[in-house]
């Protein structure tokens, strides 16, 4: 079974600085998708960024970018120019690309604090 | 556009009482549906998922069950709640084919007393 590991329970960063959140995963599959979700205090789950395993180019969404290392099974999230509104729990997630395998597996999360 | 509704937002139930949480999706058809539980300060644990009416896959042996009586309706139930059932429950959906991410409801905070 696939597993997702986030080794940083908590992280903090100064406003306007850059922070990187780590994620590793374990799978024997070659076709899959990886995600970062944000959960603010409202607890609404918000998709931040998505990466297809078959794409070598790292995904970017404005201030958010990933470092996808397929061989190392690593998928880190970089937040540039951190803002107070970025404070939240961040979850890394994995989904198989196999047709019919629809589960989305989450890591334990990293709580990000932004210091003004 | 697609929307997902989950209710109630909060619920306080005594031990041994039944539970029914409902989730509905609008604006799409044949969605994959999911129930997750999140303990305080923890990650999301997948409880059940469904790829079609009456098709339920259970991930964790527990005191809960799920049903999908209609294409866009997903219900989480229990006959007798335990203290350990307390938590934050999230319903989610994803497209069967066209997309890969899941879209989440607002969640239900369940406290068993």
């Amino acid at each position: 079974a696939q597993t997702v590991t986030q080794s940083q329970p908590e992280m903090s960063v100064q406003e306007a600085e850059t922070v990187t959140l780590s994620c590793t995963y374990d799978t024997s599959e070659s076709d899959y998708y990886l995600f970062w979700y944000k959960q603010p205090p409202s607890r609404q789950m918000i998709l931040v960024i998505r990466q297809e395993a078959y794409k070598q180019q790292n995904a970017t969404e404005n201030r958010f970018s990933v470092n996808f290392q397929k061989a190392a099974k690593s998928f880190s999230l970089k937040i540039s120019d951190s803002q107070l509104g970025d404070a939240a729990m961040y979850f890394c997630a994995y989904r198989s690309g196999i047709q019919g395998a629809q589960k989305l597996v989450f890591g334990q999360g990293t709580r990000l604090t932004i210091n003004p | 556009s697609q929307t997902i509704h989950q209710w109630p937002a909060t619920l306080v139930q005594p031990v041994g009482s039944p539970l029914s949480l409902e989730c509905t999706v609008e604006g799409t058809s044949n969605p994959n549906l999911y129930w997750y539980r999140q303990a305080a300060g923890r990650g999301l644990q997948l409880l059940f998922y469904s790829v079609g009416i009456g098709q339920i896959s259970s991930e964790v042996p527990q005191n809960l069950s799920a049903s999908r009586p209609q294409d866009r309706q997903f219900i989480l139930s229990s006959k007798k709640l335990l203290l350990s059932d307390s938590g934050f429950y999230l319903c989610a959906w994803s497209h069967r084919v066209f997309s890969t991410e899941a879209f989440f409801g607002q969640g239900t905070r369940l406290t068993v007393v």
Side-chain angles (χ1 to χ4, degrees), chain A residues 33 35 37 39 41-47 50 52 89 91 95 99-109 111, chain B residues 32 34 36 38-39 41-44 46 49 51 59 88 90 94-97 99-106 109:
Chain A
Y33 303 86
F35 309 89
Y37 280 85
Q39 188 182 42
S42 67
R43 305 197 78 169
Q44 174 70 52
M45 293 290 285
I46 303 166
L47 179 68
R50 174 179 72 182
E52 292 88 345
M89 283 287 287
F91 292 97
R95 176 173 173 172
Q99 186 69 23
Q102 308 290 353
K103 295 188 295 182
L104 191 60
V105 179
F106 285 83
Q108 290 299 302
R111 183 175 301 280
Chain B
N32 296 320
Y34 309 86
Y36 287 88
Q38 185 180 24
R42 302 287 299 278
L44 278 69
L46 179 61
Y49 70 98
V51 299
E59 288 296 298
F88 189 66
L90 283 158
S94 68
H95 286 290
R96 186 72 54 82
V97 176
S99 179
T100 57
E101 62 262 37
F103 303 91
F104 286 81
Q106 299 280 14
R109 184 183 302 278

Side-chain angles (χ1 to χ4, degrees), chain B residues 72-86:
Chain B
R72 291 170 291 174
Q73 184 185 30
F74 206 23
I75 298 172
L76 183 68
S77 303
S78 174
K79 293 182 179 178
K80 291 185 178 181
L81 283 169
L82 306 172
L83 288 174
S84 58
D85 292 324
S86 293

Side-chain angles (χ1 to χ4, degrees), chain B residues 8-112:
Chain B
T10 59
L11 191 60
V12 180
Q13 292 284 98
V15 169
S17 64
L19 172 73
S20 181
L21 302 181
E22 188 163 343
C23 173
T24 60
V25 180
E26 296 178 355
T28 189
S29 58
N30 300 317
N32 296 320
L33 296 171
Y34 309 86
W35 279 111
Y36 287 88
R37 177 168 59 197
Q38 185 180 24
R42 302 287 299 278
L44 278 69
Q45 179 187 37
L46 179 61
L47 301 176
F48 302 95
Y49 70 98
S50 172
V51 299
I53 296 175
Q55 301 179 59
I56 310 294
S57 295
S58 174
E59 288 296 298
V60 182
Q62 61 215 328
N63 185 43
L64 301 170
S65 62
S67 62
R68 185 170 178 172
Q70 300 180 41
D71 180 47
R72 291 170 291 174
Q73 184 185 30
F74 206 23
I75 298 172
L76 183 68
S77 303
S78 174
K79 293 182 179 178
K80 291 185 178 181
L81 283 169
L82 306 172
L83 288 174
S84 58
D85 292 324
S86 293
F88 189 66
Y89 290 82
L90 283 158
C91 181
W93 74 274
S94 68
H95 286 290
R96 186 72 54 82
V97 176
F98 301 110
S99 179
T100 57
E101 62 262 37
F103 303 91
F104 286 81
Q106 299 280 14
T108 297
R109 184 183 302 278
L110 171 66
T111 304
V112 182

